[in-house]
Amino acid sequence: MTLYDRLADLPLRVDSETRTRHQRDTSSGFTRATTVFELHGDGSVGRGEDVTYDREDHDALAEIDSLVPIGEFTFDEFSTALDDVDLFPTTEPEQPSAHHYRRWGIESAALDLALRQADTDLASALGRDRDPVEFVVSTRLGDPPTADRVEAILGQHPDLGLKLDPTSDWDDELVATLADTGAVRLLDLKGHYVGTTVDQPPDADLYERVIEGVPDAVIEDPALTDETRDLVEAARDRISWDAPITGIESVRDLPFEPRWLNVKPSRFGTVESVLETIEYAHERDVTLYGGGQFELDVGRDHIQTLAATFYPDAPNDVAPGGYNLPDLPPDLPGSPLVPSAEPQGLEF
């Protein structure tokens, strides 16, 4: 029985849908908006977060009364019914990835509701344990880049790991300073981002600087060009992939067999795709770790729940949301995060 088979036949009753809009400034210099879908049924509420990045796409939801199928289903029947729903009925989203993001927001709400109606939680339904979750803190270093943000984070919790986004204006001195902290676990080159505020074009000098300068860090999402290919190939055991990963086929299409993968469930769209990709990776001894999308509400719980269930000891980019604020609040929790003793649904 596959992981998804264990969830597919969960009974699900959906009586109505409501939504809540969230918005907050972030440490990466942009204002984040998300929408939480709340599915009501049989006295319970299931919640999931649509992490579509463009605020215009969230604004358009105000014009739509309801998106979700109403009635009684199995969870798999509900997912199948969503195949026929236009999730952006008034206008196409700004970015194609938004289709997956909204689908995940609704499907995760439906799974949360089905689990609650069955008086259980994700790990129990899958026959798995939940363990404390190790996490790293993801941050950018400003313009011009400095180590100030890193020092502020490590000043609160010196033992935390970091995930950083190198840019072409990182110099040798900054790289050495960061390496000396011993905290850098992941370096995200963002070589597959196009048309975003965090685009980083392929830069062979930068790749060489960070691959050699921080030799223990996992290198995420390099772009392969004539200038960068040899550098990336030489470090292939340290290479991870994030933005390209949307399901099993995307893993098979990678330029070489991966050793690391970042699992962001919203990129996959469906619960089935997330779970089958996790199984596929585990069968091939690929190290998985969780990733976030600047979730502002329940979506953060959900990525922490997946991490606790499948890859708790990895360098999970699932830190509590306070670490994403422009000014770090005092008394942020350290790693690991301990799951609640009696969860329901997708609660962490």
Side-chain angles (χ1 to χ4, degrees), residues 99-282:
H99 287 283
H100 277 177
Y101 295 166
R102 183 156 295 169
R103 176 70 178 257
W104 173 256
I106 294 172
E107 276 218 15
S108 59
L111 179 57
D112 186 40
L113 179 59
L115 291 166
R116 290 173 185 276
Q117 289 175 343
D119 194 27
T120 190
D121 67 284
L122 179 66
S124 298
L126 295 175
R128 297 183 65 89
D129 296 324
R130 301 188 321 146
D131 293 310
V133 174
E134 298 287 343
F135 71 85
V136 300
V137 176
S138 178
T139 190
R140 295 178 71 82
L141 301 187
D143 183 17
T146 72
D148 293 352
R149 180 81 176 183
V150 165
E151 292 169 359
I153 292 167
L154 298 181
Q156 286 203 30
H157 292 288
D159 56 344
L160 275 177
L162 299 169
K163 180 183 180 184
L164 306 178
D165 298 350
T167 55
S168 292
D169 49 2
W170 281 26
D171 58 23
D172 290 340
E173 182 179 358
L174 177 60
V175 171
T177 297
L178 297 171
D180 285 346
T181 68
V184 182
R185 301 286 304 279
L186 298 159
L187 291 169
D188 184 359
L189 295 175
K190 296 197 177 298
H192 298 268
Y193 283 67
V194 178
T196 74
T197 60
V198 296
D199 286 9
Q200 170 55 52
D203 180 340
D205 290 338
L206 173 65
Y207 286 20
E208 183 175 16
R209 187 174 299 124
V210 298
I211 288 172
E212 294 184 359
V214 195
D216 295 327
V218 173
I219 307 298
E220 187 175 276
D221 275 2
L224 270 66
T225 68
D226 291 343
E227 292 75 24
T228 65
R229 188 176 303 276
D230 288 346
L231 290 164
V232 174
E233 289 277 358
R236 66 162 59 194
D237 286 346
R238 298 166 55 195
I239 301 300
S240 182
W241 307 95
D242 166 21
I245 304 306
T246 58
I248 286 179
E249 288 306 314
S250 66
V251 179
R252 290 176 176 149
D253 288 343
L254 291 171
F256 47 80
E257 189 77 19
R259 302 307 332 136
W260 299 80
L261 290 176
N262 184 343
V263 177
K264 291 182 178 175
S266 54
R267 293 201 191 281
F268 295 72
T270 69
V271 172
E272 183 174 19
S273 181
V274 173
L275 294 179
E276 69 179 9
T277 304
I278 288 172
E279 286 182 305
Y280 180 88
H282 281 171

Side-chain angles (χ1 to χ4, degrees), residues 272-321:
E272 183 174 19
S273 181
V274 173
L275 294 179
E276 69 179 9
T277 304
I278 288 172
E279 286 182 305
Y280 180 88
H282 281 171
E283 290 167 0
R284 289 157 178 79
D285 295 323
V286 179
T287 300
L288 301 178
Y289 57 97
Q293 300 267 42
F294 288 95
E295 296 86 0
L296 302 182
D297 196 80
V298 69
R300 207 68 178 175
D301 265 14
H302 294 178
I303 62 174
Q304 291 167 352
T305 294
L306 283 171
T309 307
F310 293 110
Y311 28 84
D313 299 325
N316 292 293
D317 179 14
V318 300

